Amino acid sequence: MYAYKTKALALFAAGAAFALPVAAELSAADLAKLGTTLTPLGAEKAGNAAGTIPAWDGGITKPVAGFKAGGQYPDPFPNDKPLFTIDGKSADKYKDQLTAGQMAMLKKYPNYKMIVFPTRRTAAFPACHYTETKECAAKSKLAPGGNGVVGCTGGIPFPIPKDGNEAIWNATLRYKGDTFAQNWAQAAVTRTGDYAIVKFEYEYDNQYGNCGKAVKDREPNKILNYLQVTTAPARLAGQILLVHETVDQAKEPRSAWTYNPGQRRVRLAPNVAYDNPGTAADGLRTNDDFGMFNGATDRYNWKLLGKKEMYMPYNSYRLTAPNLKYADVLKAGHINQDLARYELRRVWVVEATLKPGTSHIYAKRVFFLDEDSWAPLASDKYDGRGELWRFSEQHNEIWYNVPMFFGTIEVHNDLQSGRYIAMGLRNEETKIYEAIKRSGADYNPNSLRGLGNR
């Protein structure tokens, strides 16, 4: 299906392959590559031989002109011109650099296209994330059964991964900010283009890798505290979801609670996991689709297929421009592809195959992880018959005031029904990123009733 680089999992610009370590911890020689021949997170620092992917020079670390703290992020590259456009007629020419889902979208929708721009390696993170990655890589291991990571309190645990489980845990534990609040909307769009906007207020209290907290002040074995409050429409307003996400899920699984204002009761929510339906998603995404993938890895066998150059969504500032309305973005069949930006990126390809004796609506998933940030940029999802069912993309930006890579509009396309859900819509919102101060007591399930009555 793909011409993967199977002899080595990555090739340097000079063409030499590197060998992956047998043990989980990296050798001193491999550790020395981080920040030299490799970026601090393990990506190839050099550009590609063709010159179509540039070298990484540190990314964007300073706000661009017009940026106001807490608000929308102006496009750092407003004068970039498209290199070419891929559509249904030209898709076969580029099929080696496209996912199965992208090919299916191009063939299914006559007006679907991918506008390709110059590659800008903008990914950047706080210095503490780079330092913790090097420290973590020297001692990190997968938890028993592979369902978690031990030995780390921050950083990318496996910057030179040897298998798919390590790679997907890199994606799960990538830096996603410290403690902050934001608002965004989502829409489940019908075949004819109809939709209703659902709005949320979010708080993300990241514990793992929180650069604003000393290690001793981070909650042990905790990735984050996550709070979601539904604010619109009126029939859903006041519903709350609280999640405590753990690092070593073999030791301590995720905990979740919900509050329903009509019942005025806080309940444990054990079904906020795996393939149970996502909040107000109209059945178009699973709980573990959120953020492209989250939660336990124990229902799949994970295989690292290699690294590949592919056309992926990146630097998607035009999609979130504040001069646009949601109606400008949401169209019948798919989002407005005139606004989407694609670049040639090097991605790790990870295949997840359902384990015998377990269950999930996706029998197979293929993830495409950005080498510069470890974020999933796209995924192809197959049903129990082995047929391609859904295709997801995570459009994204570098939030240069933090700095960090952050997913913006996340789209889950159902190829069989012709419907999709778009999450992370921010064009009409004003609170994009607001740093906040919280303690663990603020995310106690006993406090949810009070939040619902605000």
Side-chain angles (χ1 to χ4, degrees):
M1 185 176 178
Y2 299 108
Y4 295 116
K5 302 169 183 176
T6 55
K7 185 177 181 180
L9 293 178
L11 296 178
F12 293 106
F18 66 84
L20 297 177
V22 175
E25 305 95 329
L26 293 188
S27 66
D30 281 326
L31 282 171
K33 296 174 184 176
L34 299 177
T36 55
T37 55
L38 301 180
T39 73
L41 303 187
E44 297 173 48
K45 203 169 188 177
N48 64 357
T52 48
I53 296 176
W56 182 78
D57 62 2
I60 303 181
T61 58
K62 296 180 180 179
V64 305
F67 171 71
K68 294 182 179 179
Q72 301 282 0
Y73 288 81
D75 189 348
F77 313 110
N79 298 321
D80 275 4
K81 303 298 182 185
L83 299 176
F84 55 88
T85 297
I86 305 172
D87 58 19
K89 294 180 180 178
S90 61
D92 289 337
K93 177 182 177 181
Y94 300 100
K95 63 182 180 181
D96 289 340
Q97 288 79 44
L98 300 174
T99 82
Q102 288 171 333
M103 285 291 292
M105 293 291 289
L106 289 162
K107 297 294 185 180
K108 182 178 179 68
Y109 298 105
N111 62 341
Y112 191 87
K113 59 189 173 184
M114 298 168 58
I115 305 175
V116 179
F117 286 80
T119 299
R120 302 281 194 170
R121 294 183 71 179
T122 50
F125 299 91
C128 98
H129 184 53
Y130 297 146
T131 299
E132 290 193 310
T133 292
K134 198 156 192 174
E135 293 172 349
C136 181
K139 57 188 178 182
S140 60
K141 294 182 180 180
L142 289 172
N147 195 23
V149 173
V150 296
C152 292
T153 57
I156 297 297
F158 310 108
I160 304 178
K162 71 176 186 297
D163 60 39
N165 211 351
E166 289 186 352
I168 202 66
W169 274 107
N170 286 347
T172 298
L173 296 177
R174 70 190 188 276
Y175 182 81
K176 296 188 283 289
D178 293 339
T179 303
F180 63 96
Q182 61 179 205
N183 296 348
W184 56 254
Q186 74 178 32
V189 184
T190 69
R191 291 172 63 97
T192 58
D194 295 326
Y195 59 86
I197 291 291
V198 181
K199 293 197 171 191
F200 303 97
E201 293 179 352
Y202 285 95
E203 289 189 8
Y204 299 84
D205 177 41
N206 289 290
Q207 296 294 317
Y208 181 93
N210 188 313
C211 289
K213 294 183 178 182
V215 171
K216 66 180 180 62
D217 296 326
R218 299 174 188 172
E219 295 181 52
N221 195 36
K222 180 76 72 69
I223 297 178
L224 85 161
N225 299 306
Y226 163 87
L227 184 69
Q228 176 197 75
V229 180
T230 307
T231 59
R235 63 183 175 82
L236 300 177
Q239 294 185 6
I240 302 174
L241 170 64
L242 172 65
V243 176
H244 293 176
E245 188 78 340
T246 55
V247 181
D248 181 357
Q249 300 208 355
K251 176 181 177 181
E252 181 185 3
R254 165 189 290 171
S255 297
W257 300 263
T258 58
Y259 172 75
N260 186 305
Q263 300 173 347
R264 296 181 56 81
R265 294 185 63 181
V266 177
R267 296 177 179 271
L268 275 170
N271 292 330
V272 180
Y274 298 112
D275 56 354
N276 290 292
T279 304
D282 210 12
L284 290 168
R285 73 161 180 90
T286 62
N287 270 297
D288 64 6
D289 272 330
F290 188 93
M292 302 296 281
F293 182 78
N294 72 88
T297 62
D298 57 343
R299 294 192 181 182
Y300 289 96
N301 290 314
W302 299 86
K303 184 177 182 181
L304 187 59
L305 299 181
K307 191 184 286 188
K308 198 168 187 287
E309 295 181 3
M310 304 185 75
Y311 294 109
M312 291 283 135
Y314 220 90
N315 293 312
S316 309
Y317 297 90
R318 295 193 308 161
L319 262 176
T320 60
N323 63 317
L324 298 176
K325 300 296 184 183
Y326 293 145
D328 298 318
V329 176
L330 303 171
K331 303 297 180 183
H334 51 78
I335 64 168
N336 186 347
Q337 288 294 112
D338 286 323
L339 302 172
R341 174 179 175 132
Y342 292 85
E343 299 178 1
L344 185 65
R345 312 295 308 188
R346 284 189 295 235
V347 292
W348 292 101
V349 185
V350 178
E351 181 182 83
T353 305
L354 193 63
K355 288 180 179 178
T358 63
S359 64
H360 199 289
I361 62 172
Y362 304 138
K364 186 176 79 170
R365 304 158 93 160
V366 183
F367 295 92
F368 304 87
L369 311 180
D370 174 36
E371 72 162 348
D372 287 342
S373 66
W374 287 103
L377 301 179
S379 67
D380 297 332
K381 293 170 281 193
Y382 297 80
D383 63 20
R385 301 167 297 178
E387 295 183 4
L388 183 63
W389 178 9
R390 291 175 175 171
F391 165 66
S392 300
E393 284 186 323
Q394 181 171 231
H395 301 269
N396 53 79
E397 298 171 345
I398 306 306
W399 287 3
Y400 28 71
N401 62 317
V402 179
M404 68 173 173
F405 175 105
F406 203 83
T408 53
I409 298 180
E410 178 182 319
V411 187
H412 300 277
N413 302 279
D414 190 315
L415 290 156
Q416 296 175 11
S417 71
R419 302 187 62 204
Y420 70 94
I421 184 169
M423 305 161 58
L425 295 161
R426 293 177 174 83
N427 309 80
E428 299 181 27
E429 307 303 317
T430 56
K431 186 190 293 185
I432 307 303
Y433 177 92
E434 179 184 284
I436 57 176
K437 292 184 178 181
R438 295 287 186 269
S439 68
D442 293 314
Y443 299 104
N444 187 309
N446 294 329
S447 67
L448 295 189
R449 183 179 293 110
L451 291 175
N453 294 329
R454 287 186 304 187

